[in-house]
Amino acid sequence: MSKLRFSSLILIFSFMASPIMPEAIRLIDTATAQEEKKKKPKTRRSQVLSKAAFNQITSAQEALSEGNHETAMNILLNMMKSDRYNSYEKGVAQQTYAYVWADKGDYSRALVEFERALNLGVLPEQVQLDLTYNLAQLSIAEDKPKQALRYLNRWFSQVEEPSASAYGLKAQIYLIMDNLKQAEKNVTKAISMSESPKEAWYRILLSVYLQQERYKESLPILELVVDRFPGKKAFWQQLSAVYQELGKEQKAFAAQQAMHSQDMLTTSKELVRIAQLYLYNDFPYKAARILDKGLKDGSIKKTSKNWELLATAWMHSREWKKSRSPLLKAASKSKSGKLYAQLGQAYIQDEDWKNAEKYLIKAVDKGKLEKRESNTYLVLGITQARLGKYEKAIKTFRKAGDFDDTAKDAFKWIRSLERQLAEKAREEKEKQKAG
C-alpha cells in the first residue's frame, strides 16, 4: 500500500489531539490528587475561607451549576475587586472565575485566567499542582503543544509517581509535535502502568506505528483493541487495511465481514465495497442481497455502476431473471451499449430470443461497444437465426465478419443459413410444381 493511500487511514487517529472537554478540566482537582504522589512540599499554614468569602464562592458555584455564567462572573469579579477579602480568598475567586470560562467553552480565556490564578502563588500546593496540569490540557486545546509540554514538565517535576494518565497526556503532546520517538516512549509507559489502558493510548501508539509504516508491530495491537473495544469502527477499518498491507487478504475480508455484521458499514461507498469483496471471494448471492437492499432503501447510490454491479452479482448467482431489471436501469444510464449487450445475453440464458434480439439491437444502435462489438453482432445474428429471421441474420453476420476474431464463425453461420435458404427455396419450387 502506498504512503498516499495509507495516509488516509492514519487520519482516523488524528482526533487524539482534539480539544479537551470541560468535564476533564473540572475533574482534575480530585482525580489528580488521588492518582499522584506529590513531593513533600515546604510546610505552609493551611488557609480557610472566611464565612463571607465562602458564601460568595458557593453562590458563584451554584450559579455556574445552573448555567448562569454572567451571574457567577459578576460575583467573582466583585470579590477580586473588593478590599474585604484577603489574597487567598481572591485567589480562590480567580480560580473559580477561570472555571466559569472553561464551562462556557472559551478555552482561550480560561487559559489566561488559570495562569493568573497560578501566578498569584496563594493557593494550596495541591491546587497549584492541579492547575498546572489543567494548564497543560488547556494549552493542547488551544493548539499550543510547546506550552503544554512546559506546564506538564513542571508538573512532572513536582510529583514523585506520575500516573499512567499523565504519561498518556505527555505522549499526546509529543504526537502533536511529531516527536514520534517520545510519543511512543511515553504511551508505552502509560499502557504498561495500567491494568485497563485507555482506548486513546492505543490510538496514539498505533498512530506512531502507522506513520512509520511499522505494520507488523501494529497488527497485534489492532487485534487486541478490536477484542477489547469491539464496537469501535476505526480499529476494524485499520485492522482490515493492515491485513491487506501484509498480504493477509482473507483476514482483511474477515475484518470487513465483522464490521458488516455489526452494522458499522453505513455509507454507500462502504456497502458497495463489502459487496465487491463478497463477489470477489465467490459469495455472489450475499453481494447481490446487500446491493439489492441498499439500492432499494437508498443507502447505496443509484448509479449506473452500482446497478451494473448488482446485475453482475445476480448473474454470478445464476439468477438470470433478477439480473434483468438492474441491467436495464444501468444500461439506460450508461453512455455505451455494453450493458444492453449483457441484458440481451441474460435473456438468451432463458432462451427468450425475442427480448434478446430487442436489447442486442439497442446495444449496437447505442454503440461504443469497443471489444464487445464483434461478439455482439455475432450473438445478435445467432439470435435472429433462432427466430427464423434468416435474411436479417445473414446481414448481421456479415457485419460480424468484418472483425478478425469473429469472421470465421460468422461466415460458417452465413454458409449454413444460405444452405437452409436454398433448401427452403428448392422445397417451395417443388411444392409449386406439385400444385
Side-chain angles (χ1 to χ4, degrees):
M1 185 179 293
S2 66
K3 287 186 179 181
L4 182 61
R5 287 194 295 129
F6 208 82
S7 63
S8 63
L9 297 170
I10 293 173
L11 290 176
I12 296 172
F13 298 93
S14 62
F15 66 83
M16 270 94 68
S18 60
I20 52 175
M21 299 298 291
E23 287 77 11
I25 300 170
R26 287 198 293 269
L27 291 174
I28 189 61
D29 284 13
T30 55
T32 306
Q34 291 171 358
E35 289 185 24
E36 323 301 340
K37 182 177 180 181
K38 183 167 62 68
K39 288 182 179 178
K40 188 175 180 180
K42 294 179 180 178
T43 303
R44 174 182 290 186
R45 181 182 176 185
S46 61
Q47 300 185 68
V48 295
L49 295 172
S50 65
K51 183 177 180 180
F54 177 82
N55 289 337
Q56 290 294 94
I57 295 294
T58 300
S59 295
Q61 290 176 338
E62 288 175 352
L64 176 59
S65 67
E66 295 171 358
N68 296 326
H69 298 113
E70 295 304 317
T71 300
M73 285 181 172
N74 288 333
I75 294 171
L76 297 166
L77 285 171
N78 288 333
M79 282 188 70
M80 288 185 279
K81 292 177 182 178
S82 175
D83 294 333
R84 182 180 180 183
Y85 304 102
N86 61 35
S87 59
Y88 167 69
E89 292 167 336
K90 290 181 178 182
V92 174
Q94 175 65 54
Q95 179 194 14
T96 309
Y97 185 67
Y99 278 116
V100 176
W101 282 106
D103 193 71
K104 282 169 64 72
D106 190 337
Y107 296 134
S108 180
R109 183 63 183 271
L111 182 61
V112 172
E113 300 302 336
F114 273 122
E115 285 177 330
R116 286 176 180 168
L118 181 64
N119 292 335
L120 289 173
V122 297
L123 296 172
E125 291 287 338
Q126 185 61 54
V127 174
Q128 292 191 61
L129 193 64
D130 295 338
L131 280 177
T132 304
Y133 197 92
N134 280 342
L135 284 165
Q137 291 180 300
L138 282 167
S139 296
I140 296 174
E142 288 302 297
D143 196 23
K144 296 179 179 179
K146 291 183 179 180
Q147 178 175 295
L149 186 60
R150 286 197 298 271
Y151 278 120
L152 192 58
N153 282 338
R154 183 195 302 182
W155 181 89
F156 263 81
S157 70
Q158 295 176 299
V159 296
E160 290 183 355
E161 298 177 7
S163 69
S165 294
Y167 282 104
L169 181 61
K170 183 176 278 193
Q172 180 182 355
I173 295 170
Y174 276 122
L175 182 63
I176 296 170
M177 296 172 68
D178 290 324
N179 188 334
L180 301 184
K181 182 178 180 180
Q182 286 298 323
E184 180 180 357
K185 175 183 176 182
N186 282 278
V187 80
T188 301
K189 176 75 172 176
I191 291 171
S192 67
M193 290 175 65
S194 177
E195 292 183 3
S196 300
K198 295 180 180 179
E199 176 190 336
W201 302 344
Y202 287 118
R203 291 180 180 271
I204 293 172
L205 182 58
L206 285 167
S207 185
V208 170
Y209 284 159
L210 298 175
Q211 287 187 60
Q212 296 178 332
E213 299 185 10
R214 293 158 63 183
Y215 305 134
K216 288 184 179 179
E217 291 175 81
S218 71
L219 185 55
I221 303 298
L222 284 164
E223 290 175 333
L224 171 67
V225 294
V226 296
D227 181 60
R228 187 166 294 180
F229 310 105
K232 298 296 180 178
K233 178 179 176 180
F235 288 139
W236 284 106
Q237 288 177 313
Q238 206 66 49
L239 178 61
S240 179
V242 170
Y243 276 140
Q244 192 72 39
E245 174 62 30
L246 296 176
K248 301 176 183 291
E249 292 187 359
Q250 286 303 309
K251 287 192 173 184
F253 177 42
Q256 289 286 331
Q257 287 178 289
M259 282 191 284
H260 184 241
S261 67
Q262 296 180 78
D263 296 322
M264 291 179 177
L265 305 180
T266 56
T267 69
S268 177
K269 186 177 180 180
E270 290 170 341
L271 291 168
V272 169
R273 172 61 178 159
I274 188 64
Q276 289 172 327
L277 286 172
Y278 274 117
L279 190 57
Y280 176 78
N281 286 278
D282 296 324
F283 295 100
Y285 190 77
K286 182 71 173 178
R289 291 291 298 273
I290 292 169
L291 292 163
D292 187 55
K293 179 179 180 298
L295 286 163
K296 284 179 179 176
D297 65 23
S299 57
I300 292 178
K301 293 180 181 179
K302 295 176 174 63
T303 65
S304 177
K305 287 186 176 180
N306 291 341
W307 285 118
E308 181 182 359
L309 186 62
L310 173 57
T312 301
W314 282 132
M315 285 190 286
H316 281 244
S317 304
R318 305 190 72 78
E319 295 279 357
W320 308 111
K321 288 184 180 179
K322 290 183 178 179
S323 72
R324 294 172 187 170
S325 177
L327 258 181
L328 181 58
K329 290 174 181 176
S332 64
K333 293 174 179 287
S334 177
K335 293 180 180 180
S336 79
K338 294 177 185 178
L339 298 181
Y340 278 126
Q342 286 188 38
L343 184 55
Q345 294 275 13
Y347 277 106
I348 287 173
Q349 294 295 329
D350 288 330
E351 298 186 4
D352 185 343
W353 305 108
K354 185 177 180 180
N355 276 311
E357 180 192 28
K358 173 184 174 180
Y359 290 110
L360 289 168
I361 289 173
K362 280 182 174 288
V364 296
D365 287 346
K366 197 164 192 177
K368 296 183 181 180
L369 295 169
E370 298 172 356
K371 294 180 180 180
R372 292 174 180 259
E373 186 174 8
S374 59
N375 190 64
T376 302
Y377 277 115
L378 184 65
V379 174
L380 175 56
I382 294 170
T383 302
Q384 290 169 332
R386 293 285 189 176
L387 290 168
K389 300 178 180 181
Y390 295 157
E391 297 289 348
K392 284 187 176 181
I394 289 172
K395 289 181 180 179
T396 303
F397 282 130
R398 291 193 188 283
K399 292 179 180 179
D402 293 335
F403 299 90
D404 292 339
D405 59 329
T406 53
K408 185 177 179 180
D409 289 332
F411 289 124
K412 281 183 179 180
W413 274 97
I414 291 171
R415 287 193 295 270
S416 175
L417 291 178
E418 285 177 339
R419 284 196 298 269
Q420 291 182 57
L421 285 172
E423 180 64 23
K424 186 177 181 180
R426 186 183 63 78
E427 290 176 353
E428 285 295 327
K429 285 182 180 181
E430 289 180 353
K431 284 182 180 179
Q432 288 176 1
K433 286 180 182 180

